[in-house]
Amino acid sequence: MSDLDLLVVGGGPAGLATALHAARAGLDVEVWEQRPGVVDKACGEGLMPGAVAALDDLGVRTVGQDLTGIRYLDGRRCVAAPFRAGPGRGVRRTALHAALRDAVAAAGVPVRHRGAGRLVQHADGVDVDGTTAAHVVAADGLHSPLRRALGLETRRHAAARFGLRAHFATAPWTSYVEVHWSPGAEAYVTPVAPDLVGVAVLTAERGPFASHLGRFPALRERVGEPAGEVLGAGPLRQRARSRVAGRVLLVGDASGYVDALTGEGVALAVAQARAAVAAIVEGRPDRYERDWHEVTRRYRWLTAGLLGATRVPPIRRALVPAAERLPGVFAAAVNTLARPA
Ligand SMILES: Cc1cc2nc3c(=O)[nH]c(=O)nc-3n(C[C@H](O)[C@H](O)[C@H](O)COP(=O)(O)OP(=O)(O)OC[C@H]3O[C@@H](n4cnc5c(N)ncnc54)[C@H](O)[C@@H]3O)c2cc1C
């Protein structure tokens, strides 16, 4: 007999969404998070319409700025695709975490401030540092220590990309997420409060945030100096050999990540959480592997396709002009990703 039906390791969006789905399914669930309090993290902070709908459905009330679409800019041109499935939301990462923590507390799920160490699998359960659970969800992030410990890590992609983000104390000038393209980096501008915008830079090149922002002179001029600290993350691309190892299921970034290019991380984390809990409740954890592929297919194909194409300099230069010439195709791509899973 296990102490718990489900132990969730990692209290980010994936782990807390898993806890909410598990509580809803009547499982005895507990979350372990190694960092205390409300957790901040490098993130573009744009919740796509699918993420907003999935969080609403879980009773997670996020506060932020409505996002009405995506705009691509290259210094000379600007092309916009409005969201068709209702607005997304720009939400400070700390506000998102606080809202998730509140919902988890309201559902009666304990979140313990502790890190998971040694994991041992048995025929009928999993032992993590002396606590036993019928199943474990590893939602321990991009560099998932449990994925590595389970031998599910695969070789990293050669052209590693990184993300850096900062905030600027300025009123948002648009309700669109702006993606500014330059030859070696993209800058994602997301309104997150009436007096605050976030800028996340994604690039394969090393360097401080200020020098990356310098590639976008008009944007730098507009936002001025960062307010608060710069956070970073990467390498972004992470692969897992499998999403399931016995009674352990990988959810969120731990299960594999392509890139932040399409801003889908939180939407995927919530969709994966739902699929993982459904498989556990059914007593078929192995089924999650198939469901994970289904839930992430649109994102993996479009993000990997866009990422691969924009690594080639002439294609990268032609991207915004092409989107301008083919606005229907651009809008269809944006809305394929933005719609609820
Ligand atoms: C630059 C950048 C921009 C992005 N922009 C967007 C965007 O605009 N929109 C969007 O939806 N997504 C975006 N993403 C992706 C999004 O941030 C992630 O997909 C999301 O945070 C995944 O959540 P997670 O819970 O899987 O991982 P995390 O949020 O990383 O949470 C994992 C948690 O596990 C904990 N942990 C790790 N090891 C242990 C352990 N041994 N024991 C206990 N706890 C542990 C960590 O402390 C952490 O809190 C972006 C990412 C980056 C890097």
Side-chain angles (χ1 to χ4, degrees):
M1 185 70 184
S2 300
D3 301 327
L4 297 165
D5 294 328
L6 176 62
L7 172 62
V8 178
V9 175
L16 296 177
T18 303
L20 290 171
H21 277 293
R24 185 180 273 188
L27 299 183
D28 181 15
V29 55
E30 187 169 301
V31 180
W32 291 5
E33 167 55 52
Q34 65 188 3
R35 294 175 67 191
V38 170
V39 175
D40 204 357
K41 179 187 173 293
C43 184
E45 302 180 327
L47 299 180
M48 295 299 109
V52 173
L55 289 170
D56 275 355
D57 178 55
L58 281 172
V60 180
R61 305 284 164 243
T62 52
V63 178
Q65 295 290 111
D66 272 3
L67 305 175
T68 54
I70 308 273
R71 195 142 95 176
Y72 275 17
L73 307 94
D74 68 359
R76 282 187 300 165
R77 296 174 198 79
C78 170
V79 53
F83 291 140
R84 293 181 196 133
R89 197 166 295 148
V91 181
R92 268 294 279 121
R93 189 68 191 202
T94 43
L96 173 64
H97 196 236
L100 280 159
R101 291 279 298 241
D102 286 351
V104 166
V109 178
V111 179
R112 312 230 180 269
H113 173 209
R114 61 182 286 186
R118 192 159 172 272
L119 179 150
V120 181
Q121 297 224 46
H122 303 289
D124 58 350
V126 191
D127 183 311
V128 185
D129 300 335
T131 296
T132 54
H135 293 91
V136 167
V137 159
D140 49 351
L142 205 56
H143 304 292
S144 171
L146 287 183
R147 181 180 66 214
R148 199 167 46 246
L150 290 161
L152 297 179
E153 189 116 317
T154 65
R155 208 168 53 84
R156 283 197 182 136
H157 199 265
R161 299 224 311 160
F162 299 84
L164 290 169
R165 80 97 178 94
H167 291 101
F168 296 84
T170 182
W173 54 90
T174 172
S175 60
Y176 279 66
V177 175
E178 286 191 345
V179 185
H180 296 249
W181 291 84
S182 81
E186 309 99 61
Y188 297 75
V189 187
T190 310
V192 290
D195 54 358
L196 199 69
V197 299
V199 178
V201 175
L202 302 182
T203 178
E205 293 169 27
R206 303 279 185 150
F209 183 85
S211 70
H212 291 309
L213 190 61
R215 301 162 188 258
F216 309 95
L219 177 62
R220 186 185 51 189
E221 177 115 338
R222 182 163 220 163
V223 294
E225 290 301 313
E229 64 175 336
V230 174
L231 294 182
L236 298 178
R237 182 127 194 181
Q238 300 292 332
R239 292 174 192 215
R241 209 179 300 284
S242 163
R243 261 48 51 181
V244 184
R247 291 172 167 271
V248 184
L249 294 78
L250 306 186
V251 172
D253 288 1
S255 68
Y257 192 69
V258 181
D259 198 89
L261 187 63
T262 48
E264 283 298 297
V266 174
L268 287 171
V270 180
Q272 293 164 5
R274 188 181 60 204
V277 170
I280 288 168
V281 167
E282 211 188 286
R284 292 278 318 276
D286 56 302
R287 211 198 68 192
Y288 172 61
E289 180 69 23
R290 188 198 65 198
D291 294 344
W292 182 92
H293 277 92
E294 212 158 282
V295 156
T296 60
R297 183 169 295 122
R298 271 185 289 169
Y299 157 79
R300 285 183 290 112
W301 286 7
L302 272 166
T303 308
L306 186 56
L307 190 60
T310 52
R311 274 209 190 94
V312 182
I315 298 182
R316 191 175 179 91
R317 276 196 302 276
L319 183 74
V320 180
E324 194 182 39
R325 270 198 307 278
L326 301 167
V329 175
F330 177 53
V334 164
N335 281 288
T336 296
L337 281 167
R339 74 171 189 256

